[in-house]
Amino acid sequence: MIEKLIEISNYATFNSLKFTNGNNSDWDGNFKKNTIIYAPNGTGKTSLSLIFQAIKENDSNLIDKKRRISSDGSPKISILSDGTHIQFDNGTWSQKNHLDIEVFNSFYFEKNVYTFNLDDTFNKFIIENDPKLKEEVEHLTIKRKELIKLRRRAKFNRRFIKLAIQDKTKAIELATKLNTTLNLKSRMTENEQLNKRIDKKSSDFDKLYQKFMSNSHLISEQFREYCQKINDILSLFNDRIIINEIKPIYSKGGHSELSPTLIYTLSIDGKNTTLQDRNEVSFDYYLSDGDKSAIALASFLAKIEIMKNLDKKIIIIDDPFTSFDSGRKQRTIDLLAKLSCKVSQFILLTHDIDFGEKISHRIYPKKDLLTLQMFNHCNSTNIKTINFSREMLMGLMKNISLLHDFSKSGADNEAELNNVYSALRLSLEGVFKIKFFEFNSPNTWLGTYLEYIEHSEDEDKYKKFRRLVPYLQELRDIANYSNSAHHDESVFGNRNMKNQSELKSYVKEALELIDII
């Protein structure tokens, strides 16, 4: 389990976020079993998900590519997991971790819309559970490794021969360093023999590979189960798209290990496409952005479901949908809430506060749920706790809730004090607008209502305000105190530090007046 975020420095939007000696927020860096992180655009949401992906893949390039442009230092990352520090410093990870992490983000989406690219973990799971497939893949892999070894030897000889011709002194130094001899004739002869062996083994391998690819049993039961799971999930989003055919393609280029990519065809609105169609017509003409999001997410969730040890997995989801309508969003919430109960740890990042609020109500038990917000502060990203329900309150309700909370618990920092200070006037104005709605106009403010109270004793059209005459002075006191929040037009805004005790007395008075109004 990922226990604590200790540090992210010189990385993407993170200048220096540390939880070693406290932090300028109310979050201490500790995660829970279920964590939902709301991150408005530009606050580093995808960059944070890439940290988890880099940990999963033990990849330093993913971190180096996001080096903070405005910093001279190199990225530093430190995370505590199961009592072990996972650290990135000086361009490398401190140690290979053994966390069972699965990450869904924009990179997964890009790779798994038009084909399904099986990662190493899933590939091994598929092959390990099909003895015949495993035997043939292992046989091909051995032949592939032999061929790669010969090619590397031939490549080294060619470079060595070229160096000896161009600079014999350097060639002798290299030969001494490698504890070998400088014998051009011998190496040229060896390379002639190596090239013949390479040609023969390459031809034999190609024949084995073609035979392997033509066997119908390659569509193993695991592949079929995977395809069916995807369709089961897709059916929850819509009934117009069905994956009706899959074909694994085992790449024989680059690495010695053969890892399959699944090519698939679709049935769209009852019309079947074929593998040949894929070469002629792009799915872009058939699929909406929402359809493509559904396919990518379904492929990810299907992979998670059919693999073993689900209760040991850490699942990271970064923005699980794009262009989803409300119905698809609701189904996404259903699926992810159910998944959160089955896994070791569930971390969701989203730029949609409404989605974050809705799914937070579906995750249980609540004691295992943490809700956070990423935000920009002093040219860096920071993270604080968030109450989604409070943030989703609209206008007046949100402001009055701020006043009530402050009257009970006070404020922890100047930003909170300023929020409460601003809510004073807005709360009173809002209550007046509701209670005396027939007097509303675009230019009706708190001061306007106070004038109506003042004139109510002489003018009948304002008689509805007469009952508030005894409270006019108190209302004027609050209006005068909160005036700068409404009218401050200075370049720097209101620069007066609020006194918490003084503010609390005005808040108490305002809440009493709200009850009276």
Side-chain angles (χ1 to χ4, degrees):
M1 179 172 169
I2 298 170
E3 296 173 32
K4 182 172 183 175
L5 173 60
I6 298 173
E7 177 181 2
I8 305 177
S9 297
N10 304 319
Y11 170 76
T13 58
F14 297 87
N15 181 23
S16 181
L17 178 61
K18 298 180 181 180
F19 294 93
T20 50
N21 296 310
N23 181 41
N24 293 323
S25 82
D26 57 354
W27 184 47
D28 60 5
N30 288 296
F31 290 96
K32 289 190 176 182
K33 179 185 181 296
N34 299 307
T35 301
I36 301 174
I37 304 174
Y38 163 58
N41 291 329
T43 55
K45 173 178 61 62
T46 300
S47 298
L48 183 59
S49 81
L50 280 178
I51 291 177
F52 297 120
Q53 184 172 329
I55 291 174
K56 167 185 168 60
E57 299 173 1
N58 195 37
D59 189 342
S60 58
N61 290 328
L62 283 175
I63 303 300
D64 282 329
K65 287 177 181 177
K66 301 285 283 185
R67 178 192 296 264
R68 187 174 170 85
I69 296 175
S70 60
S71 174
D72 294 330
S74 59
K76 291 184 68 175
I77 296 166
S78 181
I79 292 174
L80 183 66
S81 174
D82 296 328
T84 300
H85 282 89
I86 300 172
Q87 295 178 309
F88 182 90
D89 197 7
N90 296 320
T92 60
W93 290 101
S94 58
Q95 61 185 46
K96 188 172 182 178
N97 78 87
H98 300 286
L99 293 176
D100 193 355
I101 300 179
E102 297 290 342
V103 180
F104 180 91
N105 55 19
S106 58
F107 296 91
Y108 183 94
F109 173 86
E110 290 167 4
K111 292 179 180 178
N112 292 272
V113 172
Y114 304 105
T115 58
F116 299 139
N117 292 270
L118 311 187
D119 60 33
D120 291 342
T121 304
F122 193 41
N123 175 40
K124 288 177 182 177
F125 169 80
I126 292 287
I127 293 174
E128 288 292 330
N129 286 277
D130 189 323
K132 192 170 184 180
L133 180 61
K134 180 182 178 182
E135 182 181 346
E136 294 206 23
V137 169
E138 286 179 346
H139 180 62
L140 267 177
T141 299
I142 290 171
K143 296 297 182 184
R144 179 72 177 148
K145 286 180 177 179
E146 291 173 354
L147 186 57
I148 289 175
K149 186 176 181 181
L150 290 175
R151 285 174 173 165
R152 285 175 178 168
R153 176 65 180 174
K155 183 178 180 180
F156 173 78
N157 277 347
R158 288 195 300 272
R159 292 175 63 187
F160 199 91
I161 292 167
K162 183 178 180 180
L163 180 63
I165 294 172
Q166 294 177 344
D167 193 331
K168 189 173 182 180
T169 301
K170 286 187 177 180
I172 292 172
E173 290 176 358
L174 179 60
T176 302
K177 183 178 180 180
L178 298 176
N179 194 26
T180 186
T181 58
L182 179 62
N183 190 324
L184 288 182
K185 185 176 180 181
S186 173
R187 289 192 181 277
M188 289 178 179
T189 301
E190 181 188 12
N191 251 25
E192 289 178 5
Q193 295 171 348
L194 281 172
N195 288 335
K196 291 178 181 178
R197 290 175 64 191
I198 288 170
D199 289 343
K200 176 68 168 60
K201 283 188 174 291
S202 181
S203 177
D204 291 344
F205 177 82
D206 285 341
K207 290 176 183 177
L208 281 172
Y209 176 78
Q210 293 302 326
K211 181 180 178 182
F212 171 73
M213 291 300 297
S214 65
N215 288 339
S216 60
H217 78 271
L218 286 175
I219 307 297
S220 68
E221 285 304 314
Q222 278 69 36
F223 285 135
R224 290 191 177 92
E225 182 184 358
Y226 180 48
C227 182
Q228 183 57 53
K229 284 285 186 183
I230 295 174
N231 280 332
D232 290 344
I233 296 170
L234 278 176
S235 69
L236 300 176
F237 293 122
N238 61 57
D239 57 2
R240 59 182 295 268
I241 300 175
I242 299 173
I243 294 173
N244 57 12
E245 183 183 4
I246 55 172
K247 180 182 179 182
I249 303 296
Y250 288 79
S251 173
K252 60 176 182 177
H255 302 287
S256 57
E257 301 291 340
L258 277 80
S259 181
T261 294
L262 291 185
I263 306 296
Y264 65 86
T265 66
L266 294 176
S267 173
I268 305 174
D269 294 326
K271 180 181 178 181
N272 292 339
T273 61
T274 67
L275 290 170
Q276 286 71 34
D277 292 335
R278 286 185 61 111
N279 298 324
E280 299 171 5
V281 181
S282 170
F283 279 178
D284 280 333
Y285 289 97
Y286 291 110
L287 302 176
S288 68
D289 288 342
D291 292 334
K292 286 182 278 191
S293 292
I295 290 172
L297 182 59
S299 72
F300 178 81
L301 296 178
K303 178 183 75 170
I304 299 301
E305 282 194 25
I306 71 172
M307 293 178 71
K308 297 177 180 177
N309 301 320
L310 189 58
D311 61 335
K312 292 181 172 57
K313 287 191 174 295
I314 298 170
I315 305 298
I316 313 293
I317 306 278
D318 175 19
D319 263 346
F321 57 85
T322 56
S323 304
F324 270 18
D325 54 36
S326 59
R328 289 183 179 183
K329 285 184 181 181
Q330 189 56 51
R331 272 305 186 188
T332 302
I333 290 171
D334 294 342
L335 290 166
L336 296 184
K338 188 181 298 182
L339 178 64
S340 71
C341 298
K342 300 177 181 178
V343 299
S344 170
Q345 189 173 25
F346 178 77
I347 298 176
L348 170 71
L349 299 102
T350 179
H351 74 283
D352 187 334
I353 191 170
D354 178 65
F355 180 77
E357 192 266 342
K358 286 179 178 176
I359 194 171
S360 68
H361 288 302
R362 296 288 305 282
I363 292 180
Y364 297 93
K366 293 304 179 187
K367 64 181 180 62
D368 291 334
L369 174 63
L370 172 67
T371 52
L372 301 173
Q373 177 181 349
M374 298 173 67
F375 65 101
N376 293 318
H377 177 70
C378 297
N379 196 31
S380 181
T381 289
N382 206 334
I383 306 175
K384 64 182 179 182
T385 62
I386 184 175
N387 183 320
F388 282 119
S389 296
R390 172 60 47 75
E391 292 298 319
M392 292 301 291
L393 287 175
M394 299 302 291
L396 178 60
M397 287 299 295
K398 184 175 180 178
N399 288 319
I400 293 179
S401 295
L402 271 175
L403 299 185
H404 274 286
D405 285 352
F406 176 71
S407 68
K408 293 177 182 177
S409 307
D412 293 329
N413 52 57
E414 185 177 359
E416 289 184 16
L417 285 173
N418 284 329
N419 288 338
V420 174
Y421 176 69
S422 298
L424 259 179
R425 190 181 196 94
L426 293 172
S427 296
L428 286 170
E429 277 183 356
V431 172
F432 270 111
K433 286 179 183 294
I434 292 173
K435 189 67 179 181
F436 303 96
F437 64 90
E438 68 268 35
F439 292 90
N440 289 344
S441 69
N443 295 314
T444 305
W445 310 107
L446 180 59
T448 313
Y449 291 115
L450 299 190
E451 289 178 7
Y452 294 162
I453 297 172
E454 185 176 349
H455 298 319
S456 65
E457 292 183 306
D458 302 321
E459 301 180 40
D460 281 347
K461 67 177 180 179
Y462 300 124
K463 63 182 179 180
K464 192 173 181 180
F465 291 89
R466 286 175 187 168
R467 64 182 179 82
L468 296 178
V469 170
Y471 310 101
L472 182 57
Q473 187 56 52
E474 293 174 25
L475 286 165
R476 282 174 174 164
D477 290 343
I478 295 175
N480 182 65
Y481 173 73
S482 62
N483 194 47
S484 61
H486 188 58
H487 293 292
D488 189 359
E489 297 178 354
S490 68
V491 174
F492 300 102
N494 179 34
R495 295 192 289 180
N496 294 324
M497 179 71 175
K498 303 295 175 294
N499 178 280
Q500 187 156 179
S501 297
E502 182 181 59
L503 178 58
K504 189 170 285 190
S505 69
Y506 281 105
V507 167
K508 180 183 178 183
E509 201 168 71
L511 289 173
E512 291 172 352
L513 289 169
I514 286 171
D515 287 339
I516 293 169
I517 298 170

